[in-house]
Structures are given as C-alpha cells and as structure tokens.
Amino acid sequence: MITVRVPLGDRSYDVLVGHGSRSELAGLLPSTARRAAVVTQEGIPIDVDPGLPTEVFTIGQGETHKSLATIEELSRGFARFGMTRNDVVIGVGGGMVTDVAGFAAASWHRGVAVVHVSTTLVGMVDAAIGGKTGVNLPAGTDGIGGKNLIGAYWQPSGVVCDLDSLATLPPREVRCGRGEMAKYHFLTGDDLLAMDETERIARCVEIKADVVSSDERESGRRALLNYGHTLAHALEIETDYSLAHGEAVAVGLIYAAHLAHNLGRIGQRRVDQHYEIVGGSYELDTTLPAGLDPQRLIELMGRDKKALSDGLTFVLDGPAGVEVVTGVSVDAANDALGAMTAAR
Ligand code: GLY
C-alpha cells in the first residue's frame, strides 16, 4: 500500500492507495466519532467496517440525484441517527457519492468530519481528493442552472483508494479514469502508463495533492486541473451526459491542443503528441461527436455573455507549459472546433 499525504497544515490528511486498503479505514476516523453515517449507492462493490455503530444511507443514481433534495434527505437521516458534530460521514462510491457525502458533511452541524472510500478510477485520481464538494442547481423556468453550483470546500480527514473495487469497474468507467490520467500526463510529462497500477494511481493522487496544497481554493494553479475540461463540460451538457466526463475530457484535451496551435502557442508536433497520447497510449476516442452545434458549444464554453464579448478563458499548453489563457476570441474557439472536425 502507498500512503500519499495531502499537505494542508492542520487539515492535512492521508490517502491510502492499494489492494485491501479499506481494512485501514477505522484508523482514518476522528477519535471523537461515536457513530458513522455511510453514504453510498446501490451496487457499490465494497463493504466497509468503520468499527463504530453505523447507519447506511443510499442515495439515487444519476445527475438528477446530485441535488439539494438529496442533501435534505440525508440531513433528515443524520438527525434520526443522532449524528453530532463529533461523528463522521463516510462517502463510499464514485465522484457523485463523495461530492454529495462531502457536502452533506460540510453542512451538517456546520461541518462534521468526512472520510471518502473511493471506488472508481475517476474518484481515486480526482474527485475524492482536494475537498471540492457540492450538488447541481437544476435549470429553473428561466433555464438557469448548472453542475456543482452549490457546494463547499470541505477537506476529508482521510481517503481510501482500495484497488479491489476497480476489478468490477465497467469499461466505460475505466475510460473515464484514463481521460483524467491523460490530463495529468500533459500537466507533468509523467509516463504514468509505465508504472504499475498502485504506483500510477498514487502518482496521480500525489500530483493532485501538490496542486491542491498550493492553491486549495482555485485562485490560480488549481485551475490547471481543468485542462481539457472547458470543452468537456460543454460536451457533457450538449450530449445530455451520453458522453461521460472522462470521455469528454479526452476530446477536450485534443480541442485544447488545436486551440493552442491556432493561437500560435504550440507547434503541430505537440498537437500530434496529444493525439498519440490520448488516442494511442490511453486508447480514448479523440473525435468531436458529430451533429453538435458549434455556436452552442461556444456559448456553453463562454458561460456568460460578457465572456463572449471580452473573450473566453481556457487552460492551454504553451512554451511555458500548461497555463490559464484569458481573452480567447470566439473566432479562435470556433476555428479550433473546425480544425478538430477537419482532422477527424
Ligand atoms: N477536479 C478538479 C479539482 O478538484 O480542482
């Protein structure tokens, strides 16, 4: 087992990566806890033993359940269970579970401890690490809403990445995890695929821990973790989530390379490398799904009208590596979509 420390002063915590690491869960719980509320979903392939009186709360599957209604339901359950501010919430599942469990913990009694037991590759290398928690705001009658708009930064007290849970992961979930890993490849240049599974996941955790510890609340460097994500979020929405997050990130990384090339930030060789790494090494689909309206994608990437007039913001590769680039024109964003389609 590999232990990775997330260094955040008196809120530092350990991430335990390895087969069977869930057996160490009890050691991550705060000593004050007298009860554990396990938040999970049907079909999660891991049982945990917190060593404390435990009640299991099962939340629904799918983005519609990532909602304030679920937080209310959990809070009522916590109240019935007698959860005090000294007790602990344990999120057992993928990114949706840990986001929701984390936010429920952040709000219960203004904040109780949470420990995550991550059961998916995306969760282990990204979602469970770094303290971003939250739920979606569904679109109102005015059409306004969005993913993860309601939430809090609430660091866990520990994270368990038990690789046993990856054995039963559907191929699609594996692809999603690989999309996030490909992102880390471009952020660091690490040859993650040359490592064994435990080392590879631990290295991804270490990269994320390093970024988070230097910019917990995303006022700068943490935004680099969004490499490939600007188009990815737009694709997820426009395909009604038929393109899953990591699959969309893979396409988004290729788009970011075309855009950086169009802006003169990188040469064609580097664009080709993006195809080789994402499509070749990580075996992910790099094509922009057919039939999507480019204007709508640009609108979603711009997020608001001001961005469309003042320029869009992307995380882009360049001579100094991957960095945040503001003021990108709609024309440049559009041309990169065209270049991607032409390269198909
Ligand atoms: N998933 C990106 C972040 O945690 O900042």
Side-chain angles (χ1 to χ4, degrees):
M1 190 171 76
I2 301 178
T3 300
V4 181
R5 186 86 174 149
V6 183
L8 284 164
D10 60 2
R11 290 170 301 116
S12 300
Y13 55 94
D14 286 337
V15 182
L16 311 183
V17 183
H19 287 280
S21 55
R22 66 187 182 282
S23 64
E24 307 291 323
L25 171 65
L28 295 178
L29 306 182
S31 58
T32 55
R34 295 289 167 265
R35 330 174 166 63
V38 169
V39 177
T40 189
Q41 281 173 322
E42 291 293 344
I44 297 291
I46 284 278
D47 281 328
V48 294
D49 177 11
L52 293 171
T54 297
E55 189 157 324
V56 177
F57 300 88
T58 305
I59 63 171
Q61 316 261 2
E63 286 291 317
T64 52
H65 292 278
K66 196 174 177 187
S67 64
L68 281 175
T70 299
I71 298 298
E72 182 176 350
E73 207 176 302
L74 285 173
S75 303
R76 290 193 186 287
F78 294 170
R80 275 194 301 270
F81 184 39
M83 287 275 287
T84 72
R85 66 174 65 239
N86 295 325
D87 291 328
V88 63
V89 173
I90 304 175
V92 182
M96 174 175 162
V97 169
T98 54
D99 277 12
V100 169
F103 187 47
S107 7
W108 182 248
H109 276 280
R110 301 190 182 90
V112 298
V114 64
V115 172
H116 296 312
V117 178
S118 181
T119 60
T120 65
L121 199 50
V122 177
M124 292 179 190
V125 302
D126 187 24
I129 320 295
K132 281 190 180 175
T133 74
V135 296
N136 301 332
L137 178 66
T141 48
D142 52 9
I144 296 172
K147 252 175 91 82
N148 300 329
L149 284 185
I150 308 159
Y153 286 96
W154 190 247
Q155 297 295 340
S157 307
V159 180
V160 171
C161 301
D162 189 330
L163 306 191
D164 287 354
S165 58
L166 300 181
T168 55
L169 219 54
R172 189 149 199 216
E173 275 292 338
V174 176
R175 281 204 297 278
C176 282
R178 287 180 153 240
E180 292 291 348
M181 280 188 189
K183 170 190 85 178
Y184 289 126
H185 175 105
F186 293 110
L187 293 184
T188 60
D190 283 12
D191 186 0
L192 296 163
L193 293 175
M195 302 174 185
D196 75 26
E197 190 186 40
T198 310
E199 281 172 350
R200 184 184 313 141
I201 293 174
R203 177 64 189 137
C204 291
V205 172
E206 200 175 62
I207 296 167
K208 180 145 188 192
D210 175 51
V211 173
V212 167
S213 66
S214 66
D215 178 25
E216 185 183 4
R217 291 187 170 240
E218 199 167 313
S219 49
R221 190 172 171 229
R222 187 164 180 166
L224 302 185
L225 295 174
N226 296 332
Y227 190 42
H229 283 56
T230 313
L231 179 66
H233 287 142
L235 290 176
E236 283 179 86
I237 293 168
E238 273 311 272
T239 61
D240 217 2
Y241 298 97
S242 69
L243 205 62
H245 180 69
E247 295 170 328
V249 169
V251 180
L253 290 169
I254 299 295
Y255 172 71
H258 278 287
L259 182 53
H261 180 252
N262 285 4
L263 295 172
R265 297 177 53 85
I266 59 172
Q268 184 58 44
R269 178 73 201 107
R270 186 67 175 151
V271 180
D272 295 343
Q273 269 173 8
H274 277 69
Y275 278 100
E276 284 157 21
I277 299 296
V278 180
S281 309
Y282 284 84
E283 299 175 336
L284 295 163
D285 193 348
T286 55
T287 46
L288 193 62
L292 298 178
D293 175 6
Q295 272 326 105
R296 176 73 187 137
L297 293 176
I298 303 277
E299 269 168 38
L300 287 166
M301 289 194 286
R303 289 201 195 91
D304 59 35
K305 290 197 177 65
K306 191 167 175 306
L308 295 182
S309 59
D310 293 359
L312 293 85
T313 299
F314 288 92
V315 179
L316 296 176
D317 202 359
V322 175
E323 58 193 359
V324 175
V325 178
T326 56
V328 176
S329 71
V330 169
D331 284 349
N334 212 6
D335 289 351
L337 286 175
M340 230 183 133
T341 310
R344 199 186 277 159

